[in-house]
């Protein structure tokens, strides 16, 4: 019978654990640092704002309502052929 | 036995010699026995408890990307299908027949995958927007689950050996499509109505703030407040009409076109009420 060193066998659980940990870390959602998010939001609000003072809450709300499309284009049914056939042989 | 050094240890002294081998000696666990790996198995079990259930769950954005990818694959396979179908109609050889069979099988699989990926994206969007908070939303969500499972389970699709088999498989798939499309429209309307309700809540919060701060509104303010409340009431009616029409979507016919127009109108009235409220807040 092949003899496997005891140390190698004992290290198997640790290796599996580290592997799973690595998978978990890789799967974790990549979050933008808060500071960058705040900066981005601030820059965007300046760009989108019609006035230097920025939008008021009500103006922002009105924009959100007006820009809302009940028929979301991304949700439209896919354009598929509903009659895929071959001619009679 | 006069010498203390050779005396057996106290425990062994209590056990009669005849009982020494009554208990079998410890088994020799080899590397290939499960018991040898018990520590590792326990560790894996503990990790499985800590493993997040939704580690494999994909975000709505990922699902949308996958849906777009499937749409591209479907388009490519559809072009191949039409080309080979036309070639076979023209030349009618054995080679063109095989090509037509293969390409048609392939397009049927791609079409099925595209539709399943679309429903997966739709289901995820529904969950994101509505949080599946009421009975009607739960029904639609579960119906989507069932429809996706059905489409995923169509393993025989794309295995037709001749034109008749392929046409039959395609026809069976297409027969189910109207009911599935109805489900998709009901889901879209649920999402849209819930989104409007959320916007309406934001307006109502601002309105409540204004009313709290203005204990005794002027006559003009009172007229505007009445107008705003009337508009908000109309928005609620339009939303509820839409939801009532799709409540029993499987058995009662509904026009998605009309219901989307209802929601367009609700959106416009909500915007009007928000503009009026903004005017009130500015002149306060």
């Amino acid at each position: 019978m092949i003899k496997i060193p005891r140390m190698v066998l004992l290290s198997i659980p640790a290796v599996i654990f580290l592997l799973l940990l690595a998978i978990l870390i890789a799967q974790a959602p990549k979050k933008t640092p808060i500071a960058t998010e705040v900066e981005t939001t601030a820059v965007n609000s300046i760009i989108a704002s019609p006035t230097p003072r920025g939008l008021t809450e009500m103006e922002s709300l009105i924009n959100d309502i007006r820009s809302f499309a009940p028929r979301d284009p991304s949700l439209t049914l896919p354009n598929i052929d509903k009659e895929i056939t071959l001619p009679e042989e | 036995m006069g010498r203390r050094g050779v005396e057996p240890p106290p425990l062994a002294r209590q056990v009669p010699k005849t009982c020494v081998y009554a208990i079998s000696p410890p088994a020799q666990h080899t590397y290939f026995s499960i018991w040898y790996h018990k520590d590792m198995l326990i560790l894996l079990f503990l990790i499985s408890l800590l493993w997040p259930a939704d580690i494999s769950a994909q975000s709505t954005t990922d699902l949308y990307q996958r849906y777009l990818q499937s749409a591209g694959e479907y388009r490519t396979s559809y072009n191949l299908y039409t080309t080979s179908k036309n070639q076979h109609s023209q030349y009618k050889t054995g080679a063109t027949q095989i090509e037509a069979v293969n390409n048609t099988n392939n397009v049927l699989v791609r079409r099925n995958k595209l539709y399943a990926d679309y429903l997966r994206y739709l289901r995820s969007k529904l969950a994101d927007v509505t949080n599946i908070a009421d009975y009607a939303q739960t029904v639609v969500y579960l119906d989507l689950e069932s429809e996706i499972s059905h489409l995923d389970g169509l393993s025989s699709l794309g295995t037709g050996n001749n034109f008749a088999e392929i046409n039959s498989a395609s026809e069976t798939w297409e027969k189910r499509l109207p009911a599935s499309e109805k489900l998709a429209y009901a889901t879209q309307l649920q999402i849209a109505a819930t989104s409007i309700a959320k916007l309406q809540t934001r307006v109502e919060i601002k309105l409540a703030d204004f009313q709290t701060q203005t204990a005794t509104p002027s006559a003009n303010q009172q007229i505007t407040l009445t107008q705003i409340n009337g508009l908000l009431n109309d928005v609620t009616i339009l939303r509820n009409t839409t939801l009532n029409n799709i409540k029993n979507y499987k058995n009662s016919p509904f026009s998605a076109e009309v219901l989307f127009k209802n929601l367009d109108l609700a959106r416009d009235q909500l915007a009007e009420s928000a503009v009026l409220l903004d005017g009130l807040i500015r002149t306060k």
Side-chain angles (χ1 to χ4, degrees), chain A residues 12-30:
Chain A
I12 291 173
V15 169
I16 291 173
F17 179 76
L18 288 173
L19 202 67
L20 293 173
L21 200 66
I23 293 169
L24 268 172
I25 292 165
Q27 292 269 359
K30 286 164 189 61

Side-chain angles (χ1 to χ4, degrees), chain B residues 175-203:
Chain B
K175 266 186 187 166
R176 202 181 162 94
L177 200 56
S180 188
E181 283 186 346
K182 221 173 164 189
L183 167 63
Y185 281 127
T187 312
Q188 289 177 25
L189 287 161
Q190 273 281 4
I191 292 169
T194 310
S195 299
I196 290 183
K198 285 182 177 176
L199 290 167
Q200 187 177 354
T201 305
R202 284 170 65 188
V203 175

Side-chain angles (χ1 to χ4, degrees), chain B residues 45-82:
Chain B
F45 173 71
L46 291 173
I47 290 170
S48 75
L49 292 180
L50 297 170
W51 193 265
D54 61 344
I55 193 78
S56 60
Q58 287 177 296
S59 71
T60 306
T61 317
D62 290 344
L63 290 171
Y64 185 56
Q65 289 307 320
R66 200 212 279 190
Y67 163 49
L68 292 181
Q69 194 185 338
S70 293
E73 288 167 359
Y74 167 73
R75 193 50 49 203
T76 308
S77 62
Y78 185 75
N79 290 338
L80 286 171
Y81 149 73
T82 48

Side-chain angles (χ1 to χ4, degrees), chain B residues 98-127:
Chain B
I98 292 168
E99 191 77 359
V101 166
N102 289 342
N103 286 332
T104 313
N105 271 326
N106 192 35
V107 79
L108 292 183
V109 172
R110 297 289 180 194
R111 181 175 65 171
N112 186 58
K113 185 176 180 302
L114 169 62
Y115 204 73
D117 283 345
Y118 165 71
L119 293 181
R120 258 186 277 276
Y121 166 59
L122 198 60
R123 179 186 59 177
S124 184
K125 189 90 177 176
L126 176 74

